[in-house]
Amino acid sequence: MNRSMFWRSPAALMMAMGVSLTAALPLLTSVPAAASESMQLAQLFRRPSQRVGVGAGTEIPAYYAGEERVILTPDETVDLELTIDRDVYSSRGTIVIREGSVVRGELRPVSGGTQFVASEIVLSGNDDARDFAATSDVLTETQIIDEDTDPDFLRGAAIGAAAAAVLAEIFGGIDFLEVLAGAGIGVLGEILLHDGDEEVEVFVIEPDSDLDLFVEEDFVLS
C-alpha cells in the first residue's frame, strides 16, 4: 500500500485522532487549575469596602475654641464644644474628619479631676450631627480663686448665676452683671461654696486649650 492510500484507510484516521487527543489532554486537564488560580486572584484583589473610618484608640488633636474661659468646680458637669485641629485620616489615607469639625460633649467629674466626654460630632461642611465616642485625658490642675484674685479674671467667664452670688461675698464690689455679660456658651453650672468661705478651688479651661481626644469606638463613614 502506498503512502497516499495509507492515510485514506480507517486505521490511519483513528491513529491520527488518537495522537491529536493525547496532545490536547494536558491542555484540557489544566483548565480547572487555571480557573482556580483566577478565583484566588479575584479574592485577593476584590474591590475593597467603601466604608472608611478611624479606629478605637486613635488620637485626635482638638482644642477649646471659645472666646471666654470656663470655670467649674471639681464636682460639676458642664456642656462644652471642642474643635478639631487638623484633618484626621483613615489607614487608607482618606480624610475622615476634617479640620474645623466640632465635637460636642461635656466635662465630667472623674476620680482625680475632670474629663471631656464626647457624645457627637458635626463634620466640617456637614450640618448633621453623628454619634461620636471619645474622651480627653483627665485634667487634674486646679486653681484657687480668693480675694486676692484679679477680678478681671472673672469678667466674661462662663460661670453660673449662683457663682456670682458666692463670689460676690469674696470680692464685694464687683459688678457681677458685667462679669457674667460675656458668658457666650451659657450658664454651665454652679460654683458651690459654703457661706463664709473665702476661697474656692476650680478647674479653668482657657480659650485655645489643648484637649486632644482618644477615640473610644470605631468611627466609620458610610
Side-chain angles (χ1 to χ4, degrees), residues 1-218:
M1 180 184 294
N2 61 33
R3 180 170 299 181
S4 63
M5 290 295 294
F6 174 80
W7 288 111
R8 294 177 185 176
S9 69
L13 181 60
M14 294 297 294
M15 290 178 62
M17 290 178 62
V19 171
S20 298
L21 288 173
T22 302
L25 186 59
L27 295 176
L28 294 174
T29 57
S30 66
V31 171
S36 176
E37 183 177 353
S38 177
M39 291 176 61
Q40 293 176 358
L41 289 174
Q43 292 176 353
L44 182 62
F45 295 103
R46 64 183 182 274
R47 186 177 181 181
S49 170
Q50 297 302 305
R51 293 166 63 86
V52 296
V54 291
T58 301
E59 183 176 2
I60 297 179
Y63 64 98
Y64 170 58
E67 296 180 355
E68 66 287 311
R69 62 177 52 89
V70 178
I71 300 175
L72 66 156
T73 57
D75 59 354
E76 72 175 321
T77 299
V78 301
D79 295 331
L80 198 68
E81 291 186 353
L82 301 181
T83 301
I84 301 302
D85 196 29
R86 60 176 178 269
D87 293 342
V88 179
Y89 294 83
S90 71
S91 60
R92 288 163 43 191
T94 303
I95 296 178
V96 179
I97 302 173
R98 292 190 179 277
E99 177 183 354
S101 297
V102 174
V103 179
R104 296 170 179 166
E106 60 187 17
L107 289 166
R108 296 179 184 173
V110 296
S111 177
T114 187
Q115 183 180 40
F116 179 81
V117 179
S119 59
E120 61 184 20
I121 186 170
V122 180
L123 299 175
S124 180
N126 187 338
D127 293 334
D128 294 333
R130 304 185 52 165
D131 291 343
F132 185 64
T135 57
S136 72
D137 285 332
V138 176
L139 308 178
T140 59
E141 186 175 350
T142 59
Q143 185 168 332
I144 299 296
I145 296 179
D146 58 22
E147 59 185 3
D148 295 325
T149 301
D150 184 348
D152 284 339
F153 177 78
L154 300 175
R155 298 184 191 281
I159 57 180
V166 174
L167 292 174
E169 297 180 4
I170 296 177
F171 294 100
I174 297 178
D175 182 349
F176 279 95
L177 292 178
E178 181 183 353
V179 168
L180 296 177
I185 60 176
V187 175
L188 299 182
E190 299 179 357
I191 295 179
L192 303 176
L193 288 175
H194 297 295
D195 290 342
D197 285 349
E198 295 182 353
E199 66 179 27
V200 59
E201 184 179 28
V202 296
F203 290 105
V204 179
I205 310 299
E206 297 283 358
D208 299 326
S209 292
D210 292 331
L211 289 170
D212 291 352
L213 300 175
F214 297 88
V215 179
E216 297 290 326
E217 300 176 4
D218 293 351

